[in-house]
């Protein structure tokens, strides 16, 4: 995904990242610091088999409280979005990506990454991931990194990694 050999520096399971608005953190399956060449990346990894990405923005943001409005403003600001995303976008993809951006700032890394590590042979929920990337102006291709520079100047890498389904049989 990084184009050069990568070295895992640190991996933390079930890593929580505080988000503005509300009182629930974004709990990432894995947070990792990764070195590749002379660069360092703060990455959140969302593991999936057959479960969906949770509610859509339309469901999560219907009749929003003040806390949800604050959180949505914060997420949109981090992601460089000028308005609330379309209702079909999965909210979980937004806050997992925001987590990577927040932690990249915290650890002063060269970039942030959010990776979906899917073990679904049918690539269940890939279309949701593709819609999220399209919102950011990217085309999703499995097992290929997409890189963009956000309005903030922060570099963001997004990817869908296909896991070996043999590991599900163990």
């Amino acid at each position: 995904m990084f184009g050069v050999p990568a070295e895992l520096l640190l991996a933390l399971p079930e890593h929580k990242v505080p988000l503005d608005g509300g009182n629930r953190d974004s709990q990432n399956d894995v947070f990792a610091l990764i070195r590749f060449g002379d660069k360092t990346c703060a990455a959140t990894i969302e593991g999936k088999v057959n479960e969906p990405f949770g509610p859509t923005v339309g469901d999560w943001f219907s009749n929003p409280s003040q806390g949800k409005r604050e959180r949505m403003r914060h997420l949109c600001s981090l992601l460089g979005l000028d308005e609330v995303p379309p209702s079909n976008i999965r909210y979980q993809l937004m806050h997992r990506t925001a987590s990577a951006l927040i932690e990249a700032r915290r650890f002063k890394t060269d970039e942030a990454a959010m990776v979906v590590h899917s073990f679904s042979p049918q690539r269940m929920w890939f279309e949701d991931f593709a819609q999220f990337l399209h919102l950011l102006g990217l085309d999703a291709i499995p097992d290929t990194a997409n890189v963009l520079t956000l309005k903030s100047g922060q570099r963001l890498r997004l990817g869908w990694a296909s896991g070996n389904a043999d590991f599900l049989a163990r």
Side-chain angles (χ1 to χ4, degrees):
M1 178 169 176
F2 294 101
V4 297
E7 176 188 4
L8 178 63
L9 302 174
L10 173 77
L12 302 172
E14 304 301 328
H15 181 69
K16 293 182 180 181
V17 177
L19 300 174
D20 288 354
N23 55 9
R24 294 187 64 190
D25 297 341
S26 179
Q27 184 166 321
N28 301 274
D29 291 335
V30 176
F31 169 72
L33 289 175
I34 303 164
R35 169 129 16 232
F36 54 100
D38 64 347
K39 306 279 186 210
T40 305
C41 177
T44 56
I45 295 119
E46 180 63 26
K48 292 290 181 196
V49 179
N50 295 323
E51 71 275 14
F53 289 107
T56 62
V57 167
D59 290 336
W60 182 82
F61 204 61
S62 66
N63 300 314
S65 65
Q66 185 57 36
K68 282 189 176 186
R69 287 182 216 277
E70 183 182 334
R71 174 156 299 176
M72 184 58 74
R73 275 193 298 275
H74 181 61
L75 295 177
C76 288
S77 173
L78 287 166
L79 297 171
L81 303 174
D82 295 326
E83 57 189 34
V84 174
S87 63
N88 64 320
I89 298 299
R90 295 291 176 164
Y91 169 69
Q92 186 182 68
L93 292 170
M94 292 181 66
H95 69 84
R96 294 294 192 262
T97 304
S99 292
L101 294 165
I102 290 166
E103 293 300 77
R105 289 177 183 170
R106 178 177 168 213
F107 287 97
K108 299 180 192 276
T109 62
D110 299 292
E111 67 178 47
M114 193 283 292
V115 178
V116 175
H117 191 192
S118 173
F119 288 91
S120 171
Q122 299 81 24
R123 288 197 177 119
M124 290 181 74
W125 314 110
F126 178 77
E127 186 57 36
D128 289 335
F129 178 75
Q131 289 173 353
F132 177 66
L133 263 62
H134 183 73
L135 174 71
L136 300 174
L138 302 168
D139 292 321
I141 301 169
D143 304 311
T144 303
N146 289 276
V147 181
L148 74 147
T149 301
L150 298 169
K151 292 176 185 178
S152 65
Q154 201 169 11
R155 185 176 155 100
L156 174 63
R157 189 179 298 261
L158 296 158
W160 179 280
S162 300
N164 185 336
D166 290 345
F167 288 106
L168 296 177
R170 295 180 186 191

